[in-house]
Amino acid sequence: MPHLQRRELIQGSLAVAAIAALHSSRSYAFPTRPGEKTIEWLDKIPPNPVPEVIKNQLVWEELDSWVTPNDKFFSIAHFNRPVIDESTWKLEIDGMVKKPMALTLADIKARLRQETTFTIECSGNTGLPFFNGGIGNARWAGTPLAPILKEAGVLDSGIEVVFWGADEGEITRADNVKFKQNFARSMSLAEAMDPKNILCYEMNGAPLPPDNGFPARLIAPGWYGVANAKWLKRIEVRDQRFENRFMGRDYVTLREEDHKGETVWVESSVGRARLKSAPARVTQVGNKYCIVGAAWGAPVDRVEVKIDDGPWLPATIDHTEEAEFAWKMWSLDWPKPSAGEHTVTSRAIDKSGNIQPAMSDPWIAKKHTYWESNGQVTRRIQIG
Ligand SMILES: Nc1nc2c(c(=O)[nH]1)N[C@H]1C(S)=C(S)[C@@H](COP(=O)(O)O)O[C@H]1N2
Ligand SMILES: [Mo]
């Protein structure tokens, strides 16, 4: 009986592979065919006006690996980019805890090692004309955060965990009060205790690069980039919700929502990632064209692609490399594109059946800030 089931399973997966082969001549998004070339998109992003804040954006046309190499990984720094000496660095764990701690990098590395492959996207990505490469996928390694908080002994009054960075800058509030503050983001205690969160010190097998948070950062799989505080210096447990620029002023989404026919304007702090996909590039060999892309932000079930105003066509997901919190690569053959200009749009569908919203969907059209721009991405291309 177990043998039979196994055979059926194998036959089943062969059948699935055969159906997949019908959709696309190849189920691998990357291996380039001999003589294959990439056709550049017509819609180029304008120069980045904030090169100190946004560095090293992903160039979609050059996407050729599931894991983004460290030297091609984007980085965001709202203040300075601190260069930290690991020999004097310590991470403080304090606030509403019984036993405050100060951990060296060696202390952290001596603890249980946990790895996660997680695609990190800035919540501003594709929300601004000059910003579409604020995304990358890496294998992160560190130690789970929860046991450290347990060891420190969170007091009953502790409800919020603040992750303080070593970077600092001048802040001017709307009421014109000016002050100096370190970067910080917070989570509820329950969110922080998620066993998936790690105090991360390694990225793709190398020490965290300086721009990505050396010596240690939070990696919170499933959250937008901003929650993943870099250059950590202190983890503080507090007895009140925490509000600062990165919780309550920037990184705040404003939407018009409908409540029983009444419009309610809602502001909410950016938190967990949202379902999204984008076409990466169109490749050509002879008269064979192929559209390749990525999908992420929620458990992706499938991806569909629309060319011009045509029907939604099913793309083939590349299953060679996959992880729960990593983007999925997909591809679709484009048999006979006519000469001229075309548009290519993709949409991801998650395992609960949610569809990545169109730009005209009220969820996106009635969003008045550029954060959490998970609407469908359309690219323009010239064929022939
Ligand atoms: N200390 C600190 N952490 C930070 C930031 C920052 O400016 N300072 N930027 C955040 C934002 S907005 C994003 S999108 C991610 C980007 O991570 P990366 O720079 O490793 O790509 O880092 C987050 N962590
Ligand atoms: Mo971000």
Side-chain angles (χ1 to χ4, degrees):
M1 220 11 222
H3 283 279
L4 199 82
Q5 275 177 345
R6 198 176 137 70
R7 271 180 70 128
E8 277 174 358
L9 257 173
I10 291 168
Q11 281 173 350
S13 64
L14 280 177
V16 168
I19 291 165
L22 283 178
H23 288 310
S24 182
S25 63
R26 53 180 192 171
S27 50
Y28 304 113
F30 296 128
T32 34
R33 300 168 289 185
E36 187 164 24
K37 65 171 201 203
T38 296
I39 306 174
E40 294 200 356
W41 300 112
L42 287 177
D43 53 299
K44 297 258 176 293
I45 58 167
N48 170 14
V50 284
E52 298 307 314
V53 181
I54 305 173
K55 266 197 193 170
N56 216 14
Q57 291 193 54
L58 175 82
V59 179
W60 283 99
E61 281 110 324
E62 291 172 7
L63 181 71
D64 63 356
S65 60
W66 183 62
V67 164
T68 314
N70 289 359
D71 63 349
K72 290 197 170 168
F73 212 95
F74 84 103
S75 71
I76 303 285
H78 289 284
F79 297 142
N80 57 322
R81 293 175 179 256
V83 179
I84 294 168
D85 176 4
E86 68 167 273
S87 66
T88 53
W89 177 84
K90 273 190 180 153
L91 175 62
E92 289 184 282
I93 322 283
D94 63 9
M96 298 305 212
V97 297
K98 293 188 195 84
K99 199 184 94 182
M101 299 158 78
L103 302 173
T104 64
L105 190 54
D107 294 336
I108 294 172
K109 286 186 175 169
R111 300 179 69 93
L112 180 73
R113 183 183 167 93
Q114 184 166 308
E115 297 181 5
T116 183
T117 306
F118 165 43
T119 300
I120 188 167
E121 185 192 19
C122 177
S123 51
N125 193 39
T126 71
L128 294 161
F130 54 84
F131 191 28
N132 77 356
I135 184 166
N137 184 42
R139 294 195 172 95
W140 311 94
T143 191
L145 171 68
I148 293 175
L149 292 174
K150 274 207 193 110
E151 252 177 72
V154 176
L155 299 172
D156 288 344
S157 53
I159 61 160
E160 187 94 342
V161 182
V162 184
F163 300 88
W164 291 97
D167 49 333
E168 58 174 30
E170 185 81 27
I171 298 192
T172 308
R173 290 165 44 117
D175 57 12
N176 254 328
V177 177
K178 287 185 176 52
F179 57 99
K180 214 156 96 179
Q181 194 178 61
N182 289 78
F183 177 91
R185 271 283 300 199
S186 71
M187 284 181 179
S188 72
L189 180 63
E191 289 165 339
M193 292 298 284
D194 187 325
K196 295 193 266 309
N197 295 338
I198 58 173
L199 274 183
C200 167
Y201 48 77
E202 221 177 87
M203 181 177 177
N204 294 327
L208 272 181
D211 280 334
N212 304 97
F214 183 87
R217 73 181 300 171
L218 176 67
I219 283 292
W223 288 70
Y224 269 120
V226 71
N228 298 261
K230 303 190 284 189
W231 306 298
L232 285 175
K233 86 185 233 156
R234 179 178 175 217
I235 298 177
E236 184 200 11
V237 180
R238 298 184 64 94
D239 60 2
Q240 284 185 303
R241 297 310 307 268
F242 177 79
E243 294 291 325
N244 72 342
R245 170 177 156 192
F246 303 102
M247 293 299 292
R249 297 196 293 283
D250 279 356
Y251 292 91
V252 170
T253 297
L254 170 62
R255 288 183 214 270
E256 277 178 80
E257 293 181 5
D258 177 77
H259 178 69
K260 297 181 184 161
E262 190 191 330
T263 297
V264 183
W265 291 73
V266 178
E267 292 167 276
S268 59
S269 186
V270 167
R272 288 180 201 272
R274 295 191 183 278
L275 179 66
K276 193 164 171 182
S277 71
R281 56 184 193 162
V282 173
T283 60
Q284 177 203 0
V285 55
N287 59 2
K288 286 196 164 68
Y289 292 78
C290 183
I291 305 164
V292 170
W296 64 93
V300 172
D301 181 55
R302 57 189 199 277
V303 174
E304 294 173 342
V305 180
K306 187 167 76 171
I307 297 159
D308 301 324
D309 290 321
W312 287 105
L313 305 167
T316 302
I317 304 272
D318 183 341
H319 293 294
T320 38
E321 287 177 293
E322 286 180 305
E324 188 181 0
F325 292 98
W327 57 15
K328 286 186 195 295
M329 296 300 153
W330 51 264
S331 64
L332 176 78
D333 281 346
W334 187 5
K336 287 187 196 73
S338 59
E341 198 179 315
H342 296 277
T343 62
V344 176
T345 306
S346 70
R347 67 177 188 189
I349 296 130
D350 73 13
K351 296 222 152 83
S352 314
N354 299 304
I355 303 173
Q356 182 188 352
M359 291 304 286
S360 58
D361 187 298
W363 182 252
I364 298 297
K366 296 196 169 186
K367 179 168 72 67
H368 296 267
T369 47
Y370 56 82
W371 311 108
E372 302 185 78
S373 292
N374 72 320
Q376 293 165 17
V377 173
T378 297
R379 305 295 311 254
R380 291 189 297 115
I381 196 160
Q382 176 77 34
I383 301 288

